[in-house]
Amino acid sequence: MGAHLHAIARGRGRAYRWGGGDELVAVFMNATADEAVAAAERIRSAVAAHRFESIGRSVTVSIGVAAYPEGGADAAALRAHADDALRVAKRAGKNRVVAYAAPESS
């Protein structure tokens, strides 16, 4: 699946397995938030359209996106905010892309 995600990223990013489960991280250097969301949507769409022969069906993915600098000033903040966005995507019904939005200050 990693090679498939690399192809979808069109040479602009890298995909990595994260943790011991079914999570992946895609990193796009020098991409705007809109470009990262568009890339995540390509990934989501391609995964949903792909039939996995090993299980005999297609699957769907939920994706959280965080972009520098609005999504965090360092790798830890970006990862945490992407995870926050992922939780929102899952609660909203799964099979979707959600970008992190910083809380509005009052």
Side-chain angles (χ1 to χ4, degrees), residues 65-84:
V65 175
Y68 175 83
E70 56 275 343
D74 58 35
L78 286 167
R79 191 171 49 252
H81 291 149
D83 198 42
D84 291 344

Side-chain angles (χ1 to χ4, degrees), residues 2-68:
H4 193 59
L5 293 178
H6 282 299
I8 296 165
R10 298 182 181 159
R12 295 203 55 209
R14 294 272 190 215
Y16 304 93
R17 186 175 202 138
W18 184 256
D22 59 354
E23 294 185 6
L24 299 168
V25 173
V27 178
F28 296 90
M29 300 301 292
N30 301 315
T32 67
D34 288 342
E35 289 169 335
V37 167
E41 181 57 36
R42 283 194 308 275
I43 290 168
R44 188 210 57 78
S45 179
V47 169
H50 183 78
R51 180 178 167 82
F52 292 85
E53 295 304 322
S54 61
I55 60 172
R57 63 182 174 90
S58 61
V59 298
T60 62
V61 296
S62 300
I63 300 174
V65 175
Y68 175 83

